[in-house]
Amino acid sequence: MSSGEPRPVIVVGTGRCGSTLLSHMFRAHPELLSVSELFSFATDLGGRIPQAFPAQPITGAEFWQVVGGRHPRQNLLLRHGLRMPEVLFPPTGSDDMLARGVPALLLTTLPHLDDQPEPLFDALEVALSPRPPALIGDHYRALFRSLQDQFGRRTWVERSGGTLRIVARLVETFPEARFIHVVRDGRNTAISMSQHVGFRMALICFSLLELLGVDPFEDPDRSEIDDLPDDLAALLPEHFTREAFWSYDLAPSLCGHYWSGEIRDGVAQLPRDRTLTVRYEDLLDSPAAAITRLEAFVGLGAPNPAWVDRAAGMVGQGRSDWRSLPPAQRDELQRACATGFEALAAHGVDYER
């Protein structure tokens, strides 16, 4: 990277914190390549993190299986009609493609950039698969550079839901990057997680892994299946149904504990000298001011008032409100989020509690 180029930026958060809005804002900027959900779907909703960030060099063909592979969790959801709102491809009614499986890059990353993503996918495979062995960061940079050249953008901003859990890997893989940490009141975040297809699936998979001792999407071992309660056994890939998925009881308080853990562990690993923390609530209350801070942090040089105005026009209002819960659930959720709020306060981010 030459001294005249702005440094790349990675947006991180717990998920359900408002970061998707930033992807749409950055896509509207004429100098920024907005890379959306690359790490979320390359890791298959967090289930394939070691494969997406190996320590040893890998070939271009192996890298292509990371970003262009048809991974099991997301494709199982799609085959059962469980589609995250962030997923932009394939079009409704594409039964043949759903049966084959949708490559990770085609779910959101490429259709977020181009309304004809399949030819772009094919061209990237031709360009990236022959690459010689290299560290994973170099392969990702080659992908970003190819997309920058395609769309004429100066630098890239990657934003995936739930990447606070992999901050350490991102900091190590991209030492040149700066970070935007988007944070939202954990109580509202937890409610949103409990209702979101992707986070329900991720938390179900964590429970299956803990009780089985193996990842049931990657390993056929079922020797510990007797340890599974009936509601989780019904969500093994060989038994999975849409009805069992929505019937599984995922209380907001459980999501609150998850949020607290992600905040506690992730915030401590963010490099303070190259991180900007943005509260979702501030983005809602004073969009122009918050977006101006974002633009200055990205460091493109001269301000772009037209972009700030356009981005501010994208801001709506959050839908979750923890205060609407019954008192017992509200108190339980409050306790579940306490550790996360304490961790945020220790880093100068305060919420009324």
Side-chain angles (χ1 to χ4, degrees), residues 12 14 17 164 180-187 189 259 263-264 266-268 270 272 275-283 293 337-353:
V12 296
T14 59
C17 59
L164 200 58
I180 296 171
H181 175 212
V182 183
V183 62
R184 180 188 185 192
D185 187 316
R187 296 159 294 195
T189 304
W259 175 85
I263 290 289
R264 181 195 63 225
V267 171
L270 282 166
R272 291 201 182 193
T275 298
L276 173 69
T277 298
V278 176
R279 293 192 347 153
Y280 177 61
E281 293 79 9
D282 294 337
L283 189 60
R293 287 178 64 215
C337 293
T339 303
F341 284 128
E342 290 169 4
L344 286 174
H347 288 79
V349 182
D350 291 309
Y351 279 91
E352 285 187 18
R353 284 176 276 160

Side-chain angles (χ1 to χ4, degrees), residues 135-142 173-174:
L135 292 173
I136 190 67
D138 292 332
H139 287 300
Y140 280 121
R141 289 184 191 91
T173 303
F174 304 103

Side-chain angles (χ1 to χ4, degrees), residues 39-66:
F39 299 137
S40 177
F41 293 142
T43 63
D44 200 17
L45 303 177
R48 296 174 59 87
I49 292 172
Q51 294 94 323
F53 293 93
Q56 73 282 1
I58 62 173
T59 66
E62 291 169 324
F63 173 69
W64 189 250
Q65 287 307 305
V66 171

Side-chain angles (χ1 to χ4, degrees), residues 189-228:
T189 304
I191 292 173
S192 184
M193 284 179 175
S194 71
Q195 301 164 351
H196 184 267
V197 168
F199 274 92
R200 288 181 66 85
M201 185 63 162
L203 290 169
I204 286 167
C205 290
F206 293 156
S207 298
L208 288 169
L209 174 60
E210 182 178 6
L211 292 173
L212 284 177
V214 297
D215 182 344
F217 290 87
E218 308 284 347
D219 193 318
D221 182 4
R222 299 292 187 265
S223 58
E224 303 298 326
I225 195 171
D226 289 343
D227 291 337
L228 291 182

Side-chain angles (χ1 to χ4, degrees), residues 117-336:
E118 289 177 282
L120 180 55
F121 178 85
D122 294 339
L124 287 170
E125 182 176 11
V126 170
L128 299 175
S129 291
R131 284 175 49 82
L135 292 173
I136 190 67
D138 292 332
H139 287 300
Y140 280 121
R141 289 184 191 91
L143 169 60
F144 296 145
R145 174 53 64 184
S146 293
L147 290 172
Q148 282 179 244
D149 291 344
Q150 173 74 20
F151 294 100
R153 305 302 169 99
R154 288 177 62 193
T155 194
W156 53 269
V157 180
E158 201 284 339
R159 194 284 321 167
S160 291
T163 44
L164 200 58
R165 78 183 72 158
I166 58 169
V167 161
R169 293 177 188 265
L170 294 171
V171 170
E172 180 180 3
T173 303
F174 304 103
E176 74 278 19
R178 288 183 288 179
F179 293 83
I180 296 171
H181 175 212
V182 183
V183 62
R184 180 188 185 192
D185 187 316
R187 296 159 294 195
N188 289 333
T189 304
I191 292 173
S192 184
M193 284 179 175
S194 71
Q195 301 164 351
H196 184 267
V197 168
F199 274 92
R200 288 181 66 85
M201 185 63 162
L203 290 169
I204 286 167
C205 290
F206 293 156
S207 298
L208 288 169
L209 174 60
E210 182 178 6
L211 292 173
L212 284 177
V214 297
D215 182 344
F217 290 87
E218 308 284 347
D219 193 318
D221 182 4
R222 299 292 187 265
S223 58
E224 303 298 326
I225 195 171
D226 289 343
D227 291 337
L228 291 182
D230 290 345
D231 57 350
L232 273 177
L235 292 166
L236 289 167
E238 60 267 29
H239 302 310
F240 190 97
T241 66
R242 180 187 178 95
E243 292 73 24
F245 178 82
W246 285 121
S247 296
Y248 184 74
D249 183 18
L250 189 61
S253 59
L254 177 61
C255 296
H257 283 292
Y258 172 79
W259 175 85
S260 283
E262 295 296 290
I263 290 289
R264 181 195 63 225
D265 297 339
V267 171
Q269 298 178 81
L270 282 166
R272 291 201 182 193
D273 61 335
R274 48 195 173 102
T275 298
L276 173 69
T277 298
V278 176
R279 293 192 347 153
Y280 177 61
E281 293 79 9
D282 294 337
L283 189 60
L284 299 185
D285 292 343
S286 304
I291 294 163
T292 299
R293 287 178 64 215
L294 290 169
E295 184 182 38
F297 182 78
V298 173
L300 294 170
N304 187 328
W307 175 73
V308 172
D309 289 344
R310 183 176 178 186
M314 299 179 186
V315 176
Q317 291 297 317
R319 291 187 293 271
S320 300
D321 184 1
W322 66 276
R323 294 178 182 85
S324 65
L325 292 174
Q329 291 185 35
R330 190 170 62 230
D331 292 345
E332 190 174 3
L333 178 58
Q334 181 93 340
R335 290 191 294 271

